[in-house]
């Protein structure tokens, strides 16, 4: 998958700044804060939107309709940040569009001048986003994984993204040296008590921004396909009302974490506080509609990157 080019990324940023200024009525200071840039950069982006004729009576860019949907979703669900990308009815990809948008958002956070802690989950969409990051030098930032990097057979988890990020982002990285699921709650407590793990857990709780995938449940869902759960375990979870998962944490249709033996075995860090961290869920597609909705209404996430089709579903309920 091709990386986002500098020119297209610059025009996307200009379109965003232009929409915020001319449609949403934001000041340049507010735009700078929302996009994590200086006021001078915000002013230049608004000027670029005009120079490139993205601004007429309306925003002449495909992102305009998506920005309207994002504004509606943000208001309806009281979300901090929403990014909507166009849907492609002819594509079967679960990552195209949102991976590019997520990559751009990660890049915006990493280019902030003040030190931040950036936490990441795991999954196919997040890995596709990280694979598109340009080389970034940000030695003052810390990047921490919320999930373990070991599969049930002891091999490295393919979709754990912390090592992919390390290839592109020159910042301190903190992997979670654990399996995604352990054999018991007692084993989890023992492992979480290790000094190295305690330190990583403490860093994750300080995250300023968090990027996570949202997984659907079922025998063809990621937890089964990747070998973390047996089919009978998955079916039992679904009978109990489970609808989705984030970093292995399983929740019901209202976004409540299930009180069951599987969640007691999850070795992942807790999802950082939605009061202090911008927790961005990245997901799209009909198979994930219910899981995405549940994650939003249950406040497992407070921000979202998705596509038009998913946004329209969320606005219709």
């Amino acid at each position: 998958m091709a990386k986002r080019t500098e020119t297209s990324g610059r025009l996307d940023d200009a379109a965003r700044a232009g929409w915020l200024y001319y449609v949403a009525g934001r000041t340049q200071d507010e735009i700078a804060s929302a996009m994590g840039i200086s006021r001078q950069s915000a002013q230049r982006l608004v000027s670029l939107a005009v120079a490139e004729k993205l601004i007429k009576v309306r925003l002449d860019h495909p992102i305009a309709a998506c920005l309207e949907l994002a504004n509606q979703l943000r208001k309806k669900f009281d979300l901090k940040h929403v990014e909507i990308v166009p849907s492609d009815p002819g594509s079967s990809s679960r990552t195209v569009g949102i991976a590019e948008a997520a990559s751009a958002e990660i890049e915006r956070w990493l280019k902030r001048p003040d030190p931040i802690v950036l936490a990441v989950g795991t999954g196919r969409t997040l890995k596709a986003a990280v694979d598109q990051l340009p080389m970034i030098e940000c030695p003052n930032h810390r990047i921490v994984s919320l999930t373990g990097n070991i599969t049930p057979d002891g091999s490295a988890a393919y979709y754990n993204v912390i090592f992919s990020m390390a290839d592109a982002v020159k910042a301190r990285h903190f992997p979670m040296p654990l399996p995604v699921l352990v054999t018991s709650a007692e084993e989890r407590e023992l492992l979480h008590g290790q000094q190295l793990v305690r330190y990583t857990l403490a860093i994750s709780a300080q995250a300023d921004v968090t990027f996570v995938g949202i997984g659907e449940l079922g025998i063809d869902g990621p937890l089964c396909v990747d070998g973390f759960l047996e089919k009978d375990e998955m079916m039992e979870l679904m009978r109990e009302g489970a609808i989705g998962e984030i970093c292995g944490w399983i929740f019901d249709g209202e976004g409540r974490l299930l009180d069951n033996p599987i969640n007691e075995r999850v070795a992942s860090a807790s999802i950082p506080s939605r009061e202090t961290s911008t927790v961005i869920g990245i997901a799209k597609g009909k198979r994930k509609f219910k899981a995405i909705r549940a994650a939003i209404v249950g406040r497992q996430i407070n921000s979202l990157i998705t596509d038009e089709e998913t946004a329209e579903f969320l606005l219709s309920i």
Side-chain angles (χ1 to χ4, degrees), residues 93-302:
S93 172
R94 300 188 196 178
T95 66
V96 170
I98 58 172
E100 288 81 359
S103 180
E105 186 63 18
I106 293 170
E107 184 179 344
R108 275 190 283 272
W109 278 89
L110 290 175
K111 286 186 174 179
R112 295 191 175 201
D114 296 330
I116 65 167
V117 175
L118 185 150
V120 291
T122 187
R124 292 154 176 80
T125 304
L126 196 51
K127 187 175 188 303
V130 168
D131 285 346
Q132 296 184 62
L133 285 173
M135 299 296 292
I136 305 174
E137 298 276 351
C138 45
N140 292 328
H141 298 337
R142 290 179 290 173
I143 300 172
V144 60
S145 178
L146 296 177
T147 60
N149 53 23
I150 302 172
T151 64
D153 66 3
S155 62
Y158 180 73
Y159 293 108
N160 189 288
V161 304
I162 192 76
F163 300 115
S164 298
M165 288 195 76
D167 290 337
V169 179
K170 305 310 175 188
R172 295 182 69 191
H173 289 73
F174 298 85
M176 185 70 71
L178 296 174
V180 176
L181 286 170
V182 294
T183 58
S184 66
E186 292 75 20
E187 183 182 9
R188 180 178 70 180
E189 292 306 309
L190 178 64
L191 291 171
H192 279 192
Q194 302 301 308
Q195 182 176 355
L196 178 63
V197 178
R198 285 204 314 270
Y199 186 65
T200 303
L201 292 171
I203 294 172
S204 70
Q206 301 169 28
D208 298 285
V209 64
T210 303
F211 292 87
V212 294
I214 301 172
E216 77 276 19
L217 297 189
I219 58 174
D220 54 354
L223 288 178
C224 269
V225 171
D226 295 338
F228 296 110
L229 288 178
E230 298 296 332
K231 291 182 179 179
D232 58 342
E233 292 177 309
M234 177 61 73
M235 297 308 295
E236 179 60 27
L237 282 171
M238 296 178 72
R239 283 192 289 271
E240 292 180 12
I243 204 75
E245 59 88 12
I246 293 175
C247 297
W249 295 106
I250 297 165
F251 50 86
D252 65 15
E254 296 304 314
R256 298 175 295 235
L257 294 183
L258 291 187
D259 182 9
N260 65 28
I262 299 297
N263 269 347
E264 292 177 359
R265 293 167 45 206
V266 176
S268 302
S270 298
I271 300 171
S273 169
R274 275 68 83 197
E275 299 300 319
T276 57
S277 180
T278 299
V279 181
I280 304 175
I282 311 163
K284 71 171 184 176
K286 291 181 180 178
R287 292 176 57 177
K288 297 191 176 189
F289 277 2
K290 292 181 180 179
I292 295 169
R293 175 197 173 275
I296 292 172
V297 299
R299 304 301 290 179
Q300 296 297 331
I301 60 174
N302 57 24

Side-chain angles (χ1 to χ4, degrees), residues 33-44:
S33 177
M35 296 181 66
I37 57 179
S38 68
R39 186 181 186 280
Q40 291 75 17
S41 293
Q43 185 178 27
R44 285 194 293 269

